[in-house]
Amino acid sequence: MRTTLQRLDAVFCALLFVIGMMAGSVARAASTTPASVVQETDLRDDRYVDAKILAHLKPGQDVQIIRSEAGWVLIQVSKKSGWVRANTLSGSGAAAAGAATIEGGRSASGNIVATSGIRGLPHTTRYALIIGAGRSVANDMPALTGVSEDIAAARGMAQAMAVPASNIFVLQEQDAGKEGIAHAISGLSAKLHAGDRVFVYFSGYGTQVHQPGAGSCSAALVANDAQAIRTEEWLEWFKPVAAKADKLMVFFDAGQHSPAAAVSWPRLQSKFLPASDGCAATTPDFFTQAVQAGAVPGNLVQITAASGDEAAFSDPLHGSPSTQAWRDCMMGEAQDLDNSGAISIHELAVCAQQKLNRWPGAAVVTVAQAAAVTSDEEVVPAGPVTTLTPAIVAHLQVAGNAALVPGWSTPASAPAGNHGKDGKLTVTAARAALDDILAQRDSRRTVTVTAPASVQIDKDLLQFSVTSSQDGYLYIVLLGSDGESFYLLFPNDLDQGNQIKAGQRFDLPHKSWSITAQGPAGTDKMLVLVTDSPRPLAKLGDSRTGPFLMTLSDGEGRANLQWLLSTSLQQANGQCNGNTLDKRCSDAFGASLVEIVEK
């Protein structure tokens, strides 16, 4: 087995499996077949681009094909035998060699269609509820004038999450009283179908109140009618939403604690109202209580503007620094740190925190200093000393599924520090793409894959089965041992019947095709999805190796694969509207990732 460092040429590909077009085994030629060279190439002593060169071949030379492996062909020419790439030959033997192999993405040529232009299309299955409670209709609390800026920023977040304008609901002024908020959440729940996604944003005051009939206190948010909404009440209101939604993401930009000291930046307003009775919150936060009540952590994300012992602030001119930072990162400033092709909640949090750490508000602090003598007997005169200190210290807090990909804005490139000395990514980008897709699954659904832990190269047929807890459509993506080549293993050109029934075992491959392990040695990764609706995989293009659709392994290819597997065919084609009640427009899916060692 050759190491990664030995694979020096960019067009080298690692073969995963050789495909037999009929059930049974991969056919090997018993005798040679004729072919001719169609482009200049080197005859090598092994099927690697850095193998020893035996001869240089020119177009028009006649050769005899002995056998083919991994997109390479063993040929005989002028009493020499060696290996060339299948795409350098023509003739029936060369065509058969190319059709019977799966090759890596780096060797591929084909018409790959970039989907970056459609990834931002709104999804009718996504909703947003934006609550701005910065002005008390009863005039019982000072106005947070920056909340209007936060509402605008939250709209931008929702749009970046592909929420249609018609599905964005905003509560402010008198509509953002406690009763109005409860009514809006109930109305939102009534609109939802199973598998929809929901984003909820709140900007306003936080406080702490006594729990009725209990000796403890609870964190609370303050509505525009000056009524506190305890965490337990939020949880009760959102139970029906969480039961339906594929993903629920909540962003609370409110204070949980009083500032430790006076605010040093003149414009900043604290977003915390201290309790008059000195109550201090002791109950768990929304996410913790939701999980304790049965919510699935993988389907829930909670973002808070500051940690529990820090203050949250509002700038009357620009709104909350935490909200503005998150909005900017969602609109394209975040970096794709793992080169997966998508921006996760974790990567957004890293970006937003970096922006908060550089926030321009700085306090000018003047301290009186007495005369002193330093160790080298230099006299430091008495007088004022001016220093700059941060105006705020806030650390965004994320709980829940930090790998969730909330939207599909074009990410900034990853920093150069993510590459090792050999130029390779320190984290395999292709594997990161599969991990991102897996993180988007509905964790309440189960997809069970029964497959061998290992297979013998040139010997074992790969056979496996899939069982799903839901009816749906089965898709299988294969990532080879080189870590960079993707194939849509199923459905394929030979087998399109990918509908699966709940609880029924689905055995693969079917009789029309088979798979034999063909090396090189290493670990193959197989992502198995059961989706509510068909996926628009034709938009990946028409690049194929044999019957299998193949995707590019560059950043655009990884982004395309993620978006297409996470998007229903009808959503991608703009054929959904708010009246669609069946699963044809659902993006939801269950998934499982398995590893198979070739040895």
Side-chain angles (χ1 to χ4, degrees):
M1 177 181 176
R2 300 200 168 211
T3 66
T4 302
L5 292 177
Q6 289 174 302
R7 303 172 187 176
L8 302 178
D9 195 297
V11 299
F12 173 78
C13 67
L15 177 68
L16 314 178
F17 296 106
V18 172
I19 307 304
M21 297 307 167
M22 299 299 292
S25 62
V26 176
R28 294 185 181 273
S31 59
T32 61
T33 54
S36 61
V37 179
V38 293
Q39 66 182 63
E40 288 192 46
T41 189
D42 293 321
L43 184 71
R44 298 182 181 273
D45 71 348
D46 204 345
R47 55 186 179 95
Y48 300 99
V49 293
D50 56 340
K52 180 182 177 181
I53 297 175
L54 303 177
H56 184 70
L57 305 182
K58 295 184 177 181
Q61 283 187 261
D62 293 328
V63 301
Q64 294 292 320
I65 293 178
I66 301 172
R67 61 188 175 92
S68 61
E69 293 182 16
W72 292 79
V73 182
L74 179 62
I75 64 171
Q76 186 172 5
V77 55
S78 302
K79 297 183 179 181
K80 291 183 179 180
S81 61
W83 296 87
V84 296
R85 298 303 304 272
N87 59 5
T88 64
L89 304 177
S90 68
S92 60
T101 62
I102 293 181
E103 299 185 76
R106 285 172 291 173
S107 67
S109 61
N111 181 26
I112 300 296
V113 179
T115 62
S116 56
I118 62 174
R119 289 201 297 265
L121 290 176
H123 288 216
T124 59
T125 54
R126 299 193 175 193
Y127 294 83
L129 176 61
I130 299 170
I131 305 168
R135 291 181 181 272
S136 172
V137 295
N139 294 319
D140 291 334
M141 56 189 184
L144 290 171
T145 54
V147 167
S148 60
E149 298 296 327
D150 292 340
I151 291 174
R155 281 186 181 273
M157 295 181 204
Q159 291 167 356
M161 295 181 201
V163 181
S166 59
N167 287 0
I168 300 175
F169 306 101
V170 177
L171 298 181
Q172 55 187 326
E173 304 296 343
Q174 66 271 15
D175 294 333
K178 184 173 182 178
E179 184 177 343
I181 294 173
H183 181 74
I185 295 173
S186 176
L188 175 62
S189 177
K191 294 178 182 292
L192 295 179
H193 304 124
D196 290 352
R197 283 196 177 188
V198 177
F199 168 56
V200 178
Y201 174 86
F202 179 94
S203 177
Y205 283 110
T207 190
Q208 296 157 353
V209 295
H210 284 288
Q211 290 197 75
S216 59
C217 297
S218 175
L221 301 177
V222 183
N224 260 355
D225 55 4
Q227 293 193 57
I229 307 172
R230 293 178 293 109
T231 301
E232 294 76 15
E233 292 176 293
W234 285 105
L235 182 62
E236 191 64 29
W237 293 350
F238 275 112
K239 273 185 180 179
V241 174
K244 291 182 180 180
D246 169 54
K247 296 290 182 292
L248 172 60
M249 175 177 165
V250 295
F251 192 127
F252 296 136
D253 196 328
Q256 303 177 68
H257 200 276
S258 295
V263 180
S264 52
W265 186 246
R267 290 200 311 262
L268 291 182
Q269 296 175 278
S270 170
K271 299 182 78 173
F272 181 81
L273 291 178
S276 59
D277 56 3
C279 191
T282 58
T283 57
D285 62 9
F286 176 85
F287 173 81
T288 302
Q289 291 194 47
V291 173
Q292 290 173 348
V296 179
N299 289 0
L300 180 61
V301 176
Q302 173 188 281
I303 304 159
T304 50
S307 66
D309 58 352
E310 295 172 345
F313 296 99
S314 178
D315 182 332
L317 298 181
H318 304 292
S320 164
S322 296
T323 289
Q324 304 303 317
W326 194 275
R327 185 273 315 275
D328 291 346
C329 292
M330 286 208 69
M331 300 300 286
E333 292 190 23
Q335 291 182 317
D336 183 7
L337 299 176
D338 59 3
N339 281 270
S340 67
I343 298 295
S344 67
I345 291 290
H346 168 73
E347 288 162 332
L348 287 168
V350 170
C351 170
Q353 189 60 55
Q354 289 173 343
K355 289 180 69 68
L356 283 176
N357 294 344
R358 300 190 302 267
W359 195 70
V364 179
V365 180
T366 302
V367 180
Q369 178 173 291
V373 179
T374 64
S375 59
D376 57 1
E377 298 187 352
E378 180 181 356
V379 176
V380 178
V385 175
T386 301
T387 61
L388 290 177
T389 60
I392 61 171
V393 178
H395 295 86
L396 281 160
Q397 300 295 299
V398 174
N401 186 359
L404 177 68
V405 175
W408 292 98
S409 58
T410 302
S413 59
N418 277 13
H419 296 73
K421 294 180 180 179
D422 59 356
K424 296 288 185 180
L425 295 175
T426 55
V427 177
T428 303
R431 171 59 193 262
L434 293 188
D435 288 340
D436 273 2
I437 297 170
L438 184 66
Q440 311 316 305
R441 73 190 186 280
D442 186 336
S443 299
R444 294 167 295 196
R445 306 183 183 197
T446 59
V447 176
T448 303
V449 181
T450 302
S454 63
V455 288
Q456 295 289 325
I457 295 174
D458 289 329
K459 180 180 179 181
D460 291 341
L461 290 171
L462 175 65
Q463 295 177 320
F464 57 96
S465 64
V466 179
T467 306
S468 170
S469 63
Q470 304 281 329
D471 290 350
Y473 296 83
L474 178 61
Y475 293 91
I476 301 175
V477 176
L478 193 65
L479 172 63
S481 56
D482 68 345
E484 297 187 13
S485 306
F486 292 112
Y487 308 93
L488 180 62
L489 193 63
F490 182 77
N492 56 57
D493 289 347
L494 298 176
D495 194 351
Q496 291 289 314
N498 68 327
Q499 286 188 270
I500 185 172
K501 293 294 184 181
Q504 295 184 10
R505 194 177 76 178
F506 197 101
D507 294 322
L508 285 172
H510 289 150
K511 292 182 179 180
S512 58
W513 55 289
S514 64
I515 311 172
T516 301
Q518 196 69 20
T523 301
D524 303 314
K525 298 168 182 66
M526 192 164 65
L527 180 65
V528 181
L529 295 88
V530 176
T531 66
D532 277 349
S533 60
R535 292 319 196 220
L537 294 178
K539 294 183 184 294
L540 282 174
D542 59 4
S543 181
R544 282 173 167 77
T545 52
F548 303 99
L549 188 65
M550 183 174 64
T551 72
L552 285 175
S553 59
D554 60 7
E556 183 69 15
R558 293 190 293 274
N560 288 348
L561 182 68
Q562 289 208 47
W563 184 82
L564 292 169
L565 287 173
S566 302
T567 302
S568 78
L569 175 63
Q570 292 201 207
Q571 290 282 2
N573 291 338
Q575 297 174 332
C576 297
N577 57 57
N579 296 322
T580 304
L581 300 178
D582 58 26
K583 291 185 176 181
R584 290 175 298 168
C585 293
S586 172
D587 297 329
F589 62 91
S592 181
L593 183 64
V594 297
E595 296 186 348
I596 301 170
V597 177
E598 291 191 67
K599 59 184 181 179

